[in-house]
Amino acid sequence: MAVGKKDISCPPYVKGREIELEDLKEKKVTYVEDHPDIRYSFTAGQAISKFLKGLKEGKILGVKCNKCGRVMVPPREFCELCFKPINEWVELKDTGVVETFSISYIDPDARPLEEPEIVAVIAIDGASPHMGILHKLGEVDPEKVYIGMRVKAVWKPEEEREGAITDIKYWKPIEG
Amino acid sequence: MMVEKVKGIKYHKKQDVAIVGAGMTIFRRRLNETGKELSYYAVKQALEEAGLDISDIDMVVMGSAPDAFDGVHMKGEYLLDGAGASNKPYVRVFVGGGTGVFAPIAGYWHVASGLADVCLVVCEEKMSSSHPHPQSAFKYIWDPILDRPLKPNLIWIFALEMRRYMHVHNIKHEDIALVSVKNKANALDHPAAQLAAKITVEDVLNSEPMALPVRRLDVSPPSDGAAAIVMVAPHIARQLTDEPVWVTGVGWSLDTTWWTNRDLYFPRYVAEAAKMAYKMAHITDPRKEIDVAEPYDPFDYKELHHMEGLGLAKKGEAPILTREGVTARDGDLPVCPSGGLLGVGNPIAASLGVKVAEIYWQLAYRAGKRQVAKEVTTGVAQAWGDLMQVGTVVVLSNKR
Ligand SMILES: [Zn+2]
């Protein structure tokens, strides 16, 4: 096989014409604009509906698989590993541990936020190890957050809860 | 067990598969060309290198990531003529960021099964159509009920994974930043490169915070671009070249979208995909048997994370290899000699051009200034995607 050192530089050439954002703004290139307005109503499904109802009541619900024994949150209708239906629901604590966290300076469109926010994966007490949910931290200096920090849910007042993940405002450190 | 069967993945194939040509466009934040035009450029170049005409192509595989970027919700069909697939068996495959390495895996099925002797694999991405930023399109990968009300940004998952990886192995940001420094410098030798630069670790650590620990220079840029490769059966390869590069292993694996339920410090799905590909390629000690690697590097820490998933480093060892220069172009295990996504650009699926195509060029000794210093026989390309859940792996060799 004729492999070994040789002087061929691939790709031999590259095509494409770069344009700048300014070229669009100043209409130097031809383009067409569209603003799709597509609306969706996502059903929450069997298991998550029950989970959201729990949040409205100030409770975090999980499920237990009777085959592998995992206590899972968010809850689900079937265990994806055993592929068996779930028939045991468990009420978990509204406390947990910071698995990992980030201090975010950007919104969903990558625009700068006025105030950075702390997002985290929180492993929920009462669930299997590393079983966490995505949420936010509050009442804490970003500098003071660490992995392994114990936290507790700060709920919206009962009358403001609507059966949504945002019924928990954020999670705050547990004193001491 | 309902039926009698031999457990495990079967590696039966009808014929071996070689790569005989590759091509790519420039990668840039915004290109004037349409996705079809970009695909056409990449295909023409791949055919030219292979010495084939479009009429020689039996079947075509297209890889392209979310429709939301282009705003065309039948992107595969839309791109068909640019891919040279008019009136041919044609399929589009998609596993998020893993697509650039998954499309060649699908190309491999076409040829290895004996259905096709010549299969063209094309990948395209036009991220710039989406405004104000391609990240707006990424909003729609999140769970609509539990995640989207929290107004997440795509960078979050990377930041959360990076922090967990750093925590478990006690890795400093300085060590991770070295990957960005290396890849952006490697890209100075790539004609398609978007963000080739000589930068320092301090530049990375002082760049604008996005979602800490992730800063601007830890991240690859969004890009437009296309790439293509030609995959053929042995009797075709023989007629075209003395130096085909063989696909000796393919592997892919996906974990659940319940990504907050796993310890993010290690990409198990990449390890599973690698296990499959290595078994097929008869590789038992990847660190010794792999000469050059192109793991997916949309973020600097991801190169390290994926090296560990690929078994090219022990868990937590990849930053040490990087610091010691092992992964430099003249090192013992060159990693991302192309300049990777961090340096050349990240047009999601079209990263085929710096992953599988780069390993092909390296093993054919056609990488020019980017050619690694050591002698090479075997290389691995890998991609990752979706909600920390997809691993796609291709092993190539210039020996059959
Ligand atoms: Zn189970």
Side-chain angles (χ1 to χ4, degrees):
Chain A
M1 196 164 289
V3 292
K5 291 281 169 204
K6 56 178 87 82
D7 195 21
I8 304 171
S9 193
C10 276
Y13 58 88
V14 276
K15 292 183 75 170
R17 212 189 111 211
E18 184 175 17
I19 55 172
E20 300 291 337
L21 189 55
E22 302 311 311
D23 297 336
L24 293 172
K25 285 187 181 151
E26 293 163 20
K27 303 234 172 201
K28 284 185 185 162
V29 293
T30 311
Y31 68 92
V32 173
E33 223 175 276
D34 190 10
H35 304 259
D37 179 14
I38 309 167
R39 288 154 200 246
Y40 296 88
S41 350
F42 298 103
T43 58
Q46 301 290 338
I48 297 297
S49 294
K50 200 163 168 180
F51 176 67
L52 296 178
K53 190 165 168 282
L55 292 178
K56 202 171 176 185
E57 293 162 8
K59 289 188 277 194
I60 298 176
L61 299 178
V63 290
K64 184 176 180 187
C65 171
N66 291 332
K67 182 138 189 278
C68 66
R70 292 189 307 155
V71 178
M72 295 171 271
V73 64
R76 54 213 72 171
E77 192 67 358
F78 55 91
C79 171
E80 72 275 12
L81 298 182
C82 305
F83 223 60
K84 298 272 185 211
I86 293 284
N87 29 36
E88 191 179 337
W89 283 74
V90 278
E91 186 179 338
L92 307 174
K93 299 228 171 68
D94 70 346
T95 56
V97 173
V98 173
E99 276 273 302
T100 180
F101 67 97
S102 167
I103 298 144
S104 178
Y105 289 77
I106 45 176
D107 82 353
D109 294 309
R111 282 182 289 240
L113 289 168
E114 273 177 31
E115 281 293 317
E117 54 181 1
I118 314 170
V119 298
V121 175
I122 298 150
I124 308 295
D125 287 341
S128 294
H130 307 298
M131 278 288 170
I133 62 165
L134 176 68
H135 220 281
K136 297 185 182 179
L137 304 184
E139 293 182 44
V140 60
D141 177 354
E143 300 284 316
K144 299 252 164 71
V145 181
Y146 58 93
I147 289 176
M149 182 183 239
R150 308 252 328 124
V151 290
K152 182 173 172 55
V154 175
W155 297 86
K156 279 184 181 167
E158 205 174 336
E159 61 280 8
E160 286 175 29
R161 289 184 215 145
E162 51 190 352
I165 191 68
T166 45
D167 286 352
I168 297 173
K169 288 202 284 187
Y170 50 81
W171 297 67
K172 67 169 187 183
I174 296 173
E175 310 289 328
Chain B
M1 179 64 71
M2 304 298 287
V3 292
E4 223 176 275
K5 70 185 279 282
V6 180
K7 277 197 175 178
I9 292 158
K10 312 298 175 296
Y11 296 94
H12 309 157
K13 60 184 163 190
K14 193 89 180 170
Q15 53 189 1
D16 284 340
V17 182
I19 300 178
V20 292
M24 64 192 286
T25 65
I26 57 170
F27 288 0
R28 287 295 183 278
R29 176 69 182 87
R30 284 174 204 83
L31 290 174
N32 197 25
E33 287 82 359
T34 62
K36 289 189 191 200
E37 291 167 341
L38 294 172
S39 303
Y40 171 78
Y41 291 162
V43 168
K44 284 302 263 188
Q45 193 180 93
L47 290 173
E48 212 173 286
E49 189 182 348
L52 290 169
D53 191 73
I54 198 68
S55 60
D56 298 313
I57 302 297
D58 295 328
M59 299 186 185
V60 181
V61 173
M62 164 59 74
S64 200
D67 288 354
F69 289 138
D70 297 50
V72 178
H73 286 251
M74 38 173 268
K75 212 168 159 186
E77 295 81 345
Y78 168 71
L79 294 167
L80 173 129
D81 32 3
S86 298
N87 300 305
K88 289 189 167 76
Y90 171 77
V91 67
R92 174 211 180 175
V93 295
F94 167 52
V95 280
T99 305
V101 173
F102 191 72
I105 292 174
Y108 174 89
W109 305 331
H110 283 63
V111 179
S113 64
L115 274 178
D117 283 336
V118 185
C119 183
L120 177 63
V121 175
V122 195
C123 286
E124 175 273 357
E125 217 65 67
K126 182 129 175 119
M127 299 176 75
S128 66
S129 305
S130 167
H131 280 258
H133 193 279
Q135 278 179 16
S136 311
F138 279 124
K139 269 188 276 193
Y140 304 100
I141 74 168
W142 299 90
D143 184 282
I145 315 288
L146 298 179
D147 293 343
R148 279 188 226 170
L150 299 170
K151 299 192 170 53
N153 179 290
L154 179 77
I155 308 284
W156 286 12
I157 42 173
F158 294 97
L160 294 166
E161 189 179 67
M162 177 171 167
R163 172 95 65 190
R164 184 78 195 163
Y165 174 61
M166 291 168 76
H167 169 80
V168 168
H169 297 304
N170 197 18
I171 296 164
K172 293 198 175 68
H173 200 157
E174 286 87 316
D175 285 334
I176 289 173
L178 283 170
V179 173
S180 203
V181 173
K182 167 177 71 73
N183 292 5
K184 285 179 192 296
N186 282 351
L188 289 165
D189 296 321
H190 203 301
Q194 177 177 350
L195 279 188
K198 275 257 172 259
I199 59 162
T200 64
V201 167
E202 286 66 39
D203 292 335
V204 179
L205 299 184
N206 295 328
S207 61
E208 173 198 346
M210 296 185 77
L212 292 177
V214 173
R215 290 175 179 272
R216 173 73 61 190
L217 289 177
D218 292 306
V219 192
S220 61
S223 319
D224 291 355
I229 58 170
V230 182
M231 305 180 86
V232 303
H235 65 281
I236 306 290
R238 248 193 323 271
Q239 298 172 56
L240 294 171
T241 177
D242 292 332
E243 48 209 32
V245 170
W246 300 96
V247 182
T248 52
V250 299
W252 67 103
S253 174
L254 282 87
D255 207 338
T256 158
T257 54
W258 296 118
W259 63 277
T260 58
N261 287 175
R262 52 183 164 264
D263 193 332
L264 297 170
Y265 89 103
F266 184 72
R268 189 174 55 198
Y269 42 88
V270 172
E272 289 295 328
K275 193 167 95 181
M276 174 178 166
Y278 291 156
K279 188 170 179 203
M280 191 167 171
H282 305 290
I283 287 172
T284 51
D285 185 350
R287 174 68 184 88
K288 288 212 177 77
E289 294 172 68
I290 302 280
D291 301 310
V292 53
E294 277 285 348
Y296 204 61
D297 63 322
F299 288 66
D300 44 12
Y301 85 92
K302 269 294 196 190
E303 171 171 313
L304 306 170
H305 204 233
H306 292 151
M307 281 173 65
E308 293 172 18
L310 288 166
L312 300 174
K314 294 192 200 88
K315 289 180 181 178
E317 190 198 23
I320 301 165
L321 298 182
T322 307
R323 201 189 319 132
E324 290 172 349
V326 174
T327 61
R329 206 182 266 155
D330 59 357
D332 184 48
L333 175 64
V335 176
C336 292
S338 67
L341 310 179
L342 287 162
V344 185
N346 186 5
I348 317 279
S351 62
L352 165 72
V354 289
K355 295 298 161 199
V356 176
E358 179 69 10
I359 295 296
Y360 157 70
W361 283 321
Q362 290 286 344
L363 298 181
Y365 287 88
R366 287 167 174 244
K369 280 200 274 183
R370 299 188 314 283
Q371 189 66 43
V372 301
K374 67 182 289 198
E375 212 175 291
V376 286
T377 304
T378 304
V380 65
Q382 173 260 335
W384 156 96
D386 295 334
L387 283 169
M388 304 308 180
Q389 66 184 128
V390 178
T392 52
V393 176
V394 167
V395 180
L396 302 179
S397 176
N398 55 29
K399 295 213 169 63
R400 213 168 152 187

